[in-house]
Amino acid sequence: MNKILEILKDIKPECDFENSKDYISDGFLDSFDIVTLVSEIEERFDVLIDALDILPENFMTAQTIADVVAKNGGKIE
Amino acid sequence: MKTVFRNKKISGILSVLPETKISFEEEISNYNFPEKQTLRLKKVMGYKQHRIVKDETSTSDLALAGLRHILSKGWLQKEDIGAIVVARSYPDYFIPPVSSILQGELGLPDDTFVIDISQGCAGFVMALIEGFMLLEHLKDKKVIAISSDVLSKMVSKKDRNSWPLAGDAAGIAILENCNNDNIIYTTINNDGAMRNALMVPAGGSRIPSSVDTAKLFDENNDGNLRCLNNLTMRGSDVFTFMQTKVPPMINELLEYAGVTKDDIKYFLFHQPNKFMLKKLAEKLGVSYDKLPMNVVEEFGNSSGACIPVCATYNISDLLKKEVHTYCLAAFGSGLTYAGMVLDLGSLDFCETYISQY
């Protein structure tokens, strides 16, 4: 989970991801941020995220992102 | 709709590009985003450079430059032209059609069949389908199928999500009847319920252009500035549409054509951006090297012209020498999605032409 938060902060350092309950409605992540995030996750977790999992609702919190990574075979520590 | 065409072929392909090339870095200060954040997209989306027309250039100019080049090379004779089909989303004028401009400028006879199709990214495939249908009635005459657009004129330069990938180009294919056993398999589909995911809100009869529609604003509070005359895109919806609709369409089309993915030499797809194409290749189970995805980084996304640009840039020598089976697919405004499986090769010409525009 920490690794995901690290990536998020790296992409958008100005956003308070720890205290947000919904990155999408809080305006922290738009579709282009999600694309950047997926690309970083694939590189750092050595996974391929299924295209049909790239939906805004799967990127609302670090937990939902972790769930997507795990679903696609990534190891969440 | 699925259908087949018999005894027809593409005998030449030309893509026409503007001479002006702008790098991603040159424009990075135009956007309301931190530079570091924007630079990340360079790698992911394939933002490297794009080709943009000059201010005074319109959609017909690119197509006309290409047609004059083809005629000057002797690859086509004027008297052989039976019809001109132009797919475009941003015509020179509402009236007259681009196809009429081309016919007039080339001095073609009055009985030349000319028609515009209002289509965006699926334009080239739609023009091919329309052209093959017309060939049924043209005997020895040829059809010129064109997809031409100056997308850069529809996109806000302050829109970081769209401007870096916008490109201008025309693609021209010569279609003719032939005596071989070649069967061309096609599929055309449309999801009109999703039409607003990709649109230019103003300029038509619903919201005519005015001083107000030209005012830039931040519609989504995301830092991208657009006006109502600009192209707007719901990125997530378009992405989901593409990943949901296109792979099943391709699989059904291949089955319809009685071929497997291994039988396909190359998948020549519309080029929205590198990320979308990589995900599409993964979903289809096709290796990245069989689905070229370098058009956006080299030239920009030129809407319907992407497929001919992809073909002439990546595999022109192969297309001139050998015949192989190819799968074309295009998807975009409408939201239209269409595909074609055909044997293609031994072309009379297959070239990328850099115009004065």
Side-chain angles (χ1 to χ4, degrees), chain A residues 10-12 14 30-33 35-36 38-40 42-43 48-52 54-56, chain B residues 36-37 40-41 43-45 47 160-161 222 224 235-236 239-240 243-244 275 279 282-283 288:
Chain A
D10 195 24
I11 292 173
K12 297 288 279 284
E14 68 277 21
D30 66 14
S31 60
F32 279 65
D33 297 323
V35 163
T36 307
V38 167
S39 180
E40 289 288 332
E42 289 186 337
E43 206 170 307
L48 283 178
I49 305 294
D50 188 299
L52 297 184
I54 305 174
L55 298 166
Chain B
K36 190 182 168 195
Q37 193 186 327
R40 283 177 192 277
L41 288 172
K43 182 180 153 201
V44 180
M45 306 294 279
Y47 294 162
R160 188 213 53 181
N161 291 0
D222 60 2
N224 291 301
S236 288
F239 179 83
T240 304
Q243 301 295 342
T244 310
F275 181 82
K279 286 293 159 198
E282 289 162 18
K283 199 78 201 155
Y288 294 156

Side-chain angles (χ1 to χ4, degrees), chain B residues 259-287:
Chain B
V259 296
T260 67
K261 284 168 189 146
D262 289 340
D263 297 324
I264 302 294
K265 187 70 175 172
Y266 282 105
F267 292 82
L268 300 175
F269 284 11
H270 170 58
Q271 305 272 310
N273 62 59
K274 199 172 192 173
F275 181 82
M276 275 191 175
L277 288 167
K278 278 174 98 169
K279 286 293 159 198
L280 204 49
E282 289 162 18
K283 199 78 201 155
L284 281 167
V286 170
S287 65

Side-chain angles (χ1 to χ4, degrees), chain B residues 90-116:
Chain B
Y90 200 46
D92 298 35
Y93 316 101
F94 282 146
I95 297 170
V98 174
S99 52
S100 294
I101 296 171
L102 299 179
Q103 185 221 1
E105 288 296 320
L106 292 177
L108 298 176
D110 287 8
D111 67 349
T112 311
F113 185 100
V114 297
I115 188 169
D116 274 27

Side-chain angles (χ1 to χ4, degrees), chain B residues 80-227:
Chain B
D80 291 336
I81 301 173
I84 299 177
V85 179
V86 180
R88 84 294 176 283
S89 51
Y90 200 46
D92 298 35
Y93 316 101
F94 282 146
I95 297 170
V98 174
S99 52
S100 294
I101 296 171
L102 299 179
Q103 185 221 1
E105 288 296 320
L106 292 177
L108 298 176
D110 287 8
D111 67 349
T112 311
F113 185 100
V114 297
I115 188 169
D116 274 27
I117 302 174
S118 181
Q119 259 293 341
C121 302
F124 185 68
V125 176
M126 295 293 275
L128 292 180
I129 291 168
E130 184 72 28
F132 288 135
M133 288 197 273
L134 283 168
L135 281 176
E136 293 287 338
H137 311 280
L138 287 171
K139 294 182 184 168
D140 296 333
K141 296 274 188 178
K142 298 177 183 180
V143 174
I144 315 300
I146 300 172
S147 179
S148 184
D149 256 314
V150 285
L151 203 62
S152 67
K153 295 198 170 192
M154 302 168 78
V155 177
S156 165
K157 290 183 179 176
K158 297 277 184 186
D159 182 348
R160 188 213 53 181
N161 291 0
S162 299
W163 176 256
L165 56 80
D168 301 323
I172 302 172
I174 310 297
L175 318 183
E176 58 187 270
N177 287 307
C178 61
N179 291 320
N180 64 22
D181 297 329
N182 189 22
I183 301 177
I184 298 166
Y185 299 85
T186 67
T187 176
I188 318 162
N189 311 274
N190 198 69
D191 183 356
M194 287 288 291
R195 64 194 178 277
N196 291 349
L198 201 50
M199 74 183 302
V200 178
S205 57
R206 179 74 62 191
I207 308 175
S209 293
S210 66
V211 173
D212 287 339
T213 65
K215 287 178 185 160
L216 290 174
F217 66 108
D218 188 351
E219 185 185 9
N220 302 319
N221 294 316
D222 60 2
N224 291 301
L225 301 180
R226 285 183 292 270
C227 70

Side-chain angles (χ1 to χ4, degrees), chain B residues 34-103:
Chain B
E35 208 165 288
K36 190 182 168 195
Q37 193 186 327
T38 300
L39 277 170
R40 283 177 192 277
L41 288 172
K42 183 179 178 180
K43 182 180 153 201
V44 180
M45 306 294 279
Y47 294 162
K48 183 178 149 199
Q49 59 192 18
H50 53 170
R51 297 246 178 186
I52 301 298
V53 292
K54 296 181 171 72
D55 287 347
E56 64 275 16
T57 301
S58 62
T59 298
S60 73
D61 291 331
L62 290 175
L64 191 58
L67 287 170
R68 287 192 166 133
H69 181 71
I70 290 169
L71 291 165
S72 73
K73 290 277 184 182
W75 293 328
L76 177 73
Q77 306 305 316
K78 276 188 190 179
E79 54 271 26
D80 291 336
I81 301 173
I84 299 177
V85 179
V86 180
R88 84 294 176 283
S89 51
Y90 200 46
D92 298 35
Y93 316 101
F94 282 146
I95 297 170
V98 174
S99 52
S100 294
I101 296 171
L102 299 179
Q103 185 221 1

